[in-house]
Amino acid sequence: MIIKSIELTDFRNIEKERIEFSPTVNVICGRNAQGKTNIVEGIYLFARGKSFRAMKDKELIRFDSSVAYALMEYEKRAEGVKIGVQIPRTQPKSFYKNGARVQRTADIIGEFRAVLFCPSHLGIISDSPSVRRSFLDVAISQLKPIYIKLMTRYNSVMSSRNAILKMDDAERAKYRETIDFYSSELASICADIADARYEYVKKLDFWVKKFFEQMTDGRETPKISYETNAQGADFDTRASLKNRYAQLLTENLDREIRYGATAYGIHKDDLKIEINGKDARLYASQGQQRSLALAMKMAEGEISREHTGEYPVFLLDDVLSELDIERRKYVLSNINNRQVIITSCEPNYFDESDANFIWLNEGKLMPSAE
Ligand code: ATP
Ligand code: MG
């Protein structure tokens, strides 16, 4: 997957710019607060269907403007695609593919694939389980469009079930059958999601091992496994998974009523991450955590390539300055055979001849560094 260009109009601090990319290494350079991350945000919008940092779409619209636009041209298996988004201030945003309106945002996810790596991802090992679940969800949804629909349905059924669990006893007694229905529905969706996560984590484990061992010259061996409260189920059999979740949701109903929320299911999952048999979430050093985070992002790219036959675009936002020189060298030497878009305040990490430099000043492209 290769991005040819992106045109941003009234997007964040960019009034109107068309940025062209080379198929290899691109470096967006400029001082702080010039709009480097804004460009990455525009690109990644097409991968995830929403911004990776804005809470609301309208934050993307340039101050005092009424509509933001982004139009990206890219090649997918050597075929040109034009993808666009229009973000009005007072209405929901709409996506377009080759000129035709895309009905639902969920339908755009997976069309264009990118791996985003930014400084907050460096904390993934010791952050809360929700951060690791979100890593899995974002990565899997780019490969399996059905996954987003499953997650949406799961969240909606769970919140209806929680509403009943929170009722007082007399009120809840009227909904006995509805609870059973929701429990069985949740067990079924859990089985599908857990199956997808389990398959993904197996691949993640394979690739993270490979990258991490390279980084540490084989001295340290990581292991990533899927931590779920459906332990004991046979993960290769959907019926076994579904039965296990159904059993958990039925047997623990009284406990859940006291707790006032659904306590079992894929919203409690985590990634178990170990180095040489020790839980990395608790014991890994800062350096080990960074190497693992890096290995996970590189693994995400490999799994996407295995699944789709081509590399996704790699977006490295401001992360090189957070890595020490050894890890920086490792990243740069391992990603040079694919398209990567890097933002940096520090042009000296790169050779002029190795990279396409894009200079940015106050949201405008410049012919060169001032
Ligand atoms: P750093 O190197 O510090 O990460 P950056 O070049 O990545 O900086 P961005 O985050 O891309 O900076 O851009 C930040 C600039 O964009 C800020 O000056 C901010 O005020 C401006 N900005 C953000 N949202 C909008 C908006 N909706 N309209 C206009 N300007 C905006
Ligand atoms: Mg930035």
Side-chain angles (χ1 to χ4, degrees):
M1 192 141 320
I2 304 287
I3 308 179
K4 309 290 261 186
S5 67
I6 189 164
E7 186 177 282
L8 298 167
T9 308
D10 291 330
F11 187 97
R12 294 281 196 188
N13 70 338
I14 298 163
E15 189 178 346
K16 192 174 183 72
E17 293 294 336
R18 183 168 191 274
I19 304 135
E20 293 187 359
F21 299 98
S22 91
T24 55
V25 179
N26 297 268
V27 184
I28 306 176
C29 262
R31 287 174 291 113
N32 290 122
Q34 302 306 303
K36 303 183 297 295
T37 302
N38 294 343
I39 297 177
V40 171
E41 190 177 26
I43 297 171
Y44 199 63
L45 197 58
F46 294 112
R48 210 184 150 181
K50 62 179 184 188
S51 162
F52 69 89
R53 58 176 180 171
M55 293 294 284
K56 298 200 173 100
D57 290 334
K58 65 171 186 255
E59 291 167 36
L60 304 176
I61 308 166
R62 198 161 78 102
F63 303 144
D64 303 325
S65 302
S66 50
V67 194
Y69 299 93
L71 181 66
M72 191 164 84
E73 292 182 66
Y74 65 97
E75 273 180 8
K76 188 176 183 176
R77 297 210 192 90
E79 206 168 291
V81 185
K82 280 189 189 173
I83 195 168
V85 65
Q86 178 179 345
I87 310 164
R89 208 170 270 286
T90 49
Q91 274 159 353
K93 63 181 179 302
S94 31
F95 282 98
Y96 295 83
K97 188 185 157 198
N98 292 333
R101 170 101 186 255
V102 175
Q103 285 308 317
R104 283 171 310 183
T105 298
D107 295 335
I108 202 79
I109 301 170
E111 261 307 315
F112 165 74
R113 285 183 307 280
V115 171
L116 172 71
F117 192 21
C118 55
S120 66
H121 296 143
L122 289 165
I124 188 168
I125 309 302
S126 56
D127 279 342
S128 67
S130 65
V131 173
R132 290 181 289 278
R133 282 196 299 273
S134 157
F135 166 84
L136 283 180
D137 293 342
V138 171
I140 301 172
S141 50
Q142 288 199 41
L143 306 181
K144 272 185 185 250
I146 181 88
Y147 189 83
I148 303 159
K149 293 181 182 126
L150 287 169
M151 285 303 294
T152 310
R153 175 95 185 116
Y154 183 76
N155 290 326
S156 138
V157 175
M158 186 169 67
S159 81
S160 307
R161 186 174 186 270
N162 287 348
I164 304 179
L165 294 175
K166 282 190 180 67
M167 290 173 179
D168 61 42
D169 291 349
E171 184 71 1
R172 198 177 44 255
K174 297 183 214 155
Y175 290 93
R176 182 68 240 188
E177 280 180 12
T178 320
I179 288 210
D180 290 347
F181 170 75
Y182 285 151
S183 301
S184 132
E185 185 76 359
L186 278 188
S188 169
I189 309 171
C190 273
D192 290 335
I193 293 174
D195 181 49
R197 286 182 176 176
Y198 175 72
E199 287 303 318
Y200 193 87
V201 174
K202 272 202 287 194
K203 294 180 188 146
L204 191 64
D205 178 52
F206 172 84
W207 285 106
V208 166
K209 253 194 192 88
K210 190 171 156 75
F211 289 125
F212 194 83
E213 286 181 353
Q214 278 173 6
M215 279 184 243
T216 61
D217 295 324
R219 276 175 284 118
E220 294 175 306
T221 302
K223 179 169 163 49
I224 301 194
S225 47
Y226 179 38
E227 202 170 72
T228 163
N229 48 35
Q231 292 306 346
D234 171 7
F235 278 81
D236 293 318
T237 320
R238 188 183 177 282
S240 159
L241 262 177
K242 186 183 166 196
N243 291 341
R244 180 75 187 117
Y245 279 113
Q247 185 190 20
L248 286 168
L249 290 166
T250 321
E251 285 177 357
N252 295 289
L253 189 59
D254 289 342
R255 212 177 138 243
E256 289 184 306
I257 289 170
R258 282 198 301 280
Y259 183 60
T262 301
Y264 295 86
I266 52 91
H267 62 293
K268 297 283 177 182
D269 285 351
D270 198 353
L271 283 174
K272 183 169 185 195
I273 306 170
E274 294 160 286
I275 298 178
N276 290 350
K278 295 278 180 304
D279 193 332
R281 293 171 296 188
L282 305 175
Y283 301 114
S285 73
Q286 288 283 351
Q288 286 173 320
Q289 292 191 31
R290 279 161 188 251
S291 298
L292 272 174
L294 189 61
M296 282 169 72
K297 282 287 150 186
M298 294 180 49
E300 186 185 339
E302 295 299 330
I303 299 168
S304 175
R305 177 191 54 80
E306 275 179 335
H307 194 93
T308 65
E310 62 180 355
Y311 274 114
V313 176
F314 279 71
L315 305 170
L316 306 188
D317 184 35
D318 227 8
V319 44
L320 292 183
S321 57
E322 300 280 332
L323 299 175
D324 61 32
I325 184 149
E326 286 302 315
R327 291 190 191 91
R328 194 152 60 223
K329 273 194 193 150
Y330 183 81
V331 183
L332 293 174
S333 61
N334 273 279
I335 52 174
N336 53 9
N337 59 347
R338 64 200 81 158
Q339 190 178 40
V340 39
I341 297 172
I342 300 171
T343 70
S344 181
C345 297
E346 185 45 80
N348 297 335
Y349 295 153
F350 310 91
D351 268 339
E352 286 271 357
S353 54
D354 290 347
N356 169 36
F357 278 82
I358 296 157
W359 298 96
L360 203 65
N361 187 48
E362 294 182 0
K364 292 194 163 43
L365 288 185
M366 309 293 286
S368 62
E370 310 125 72

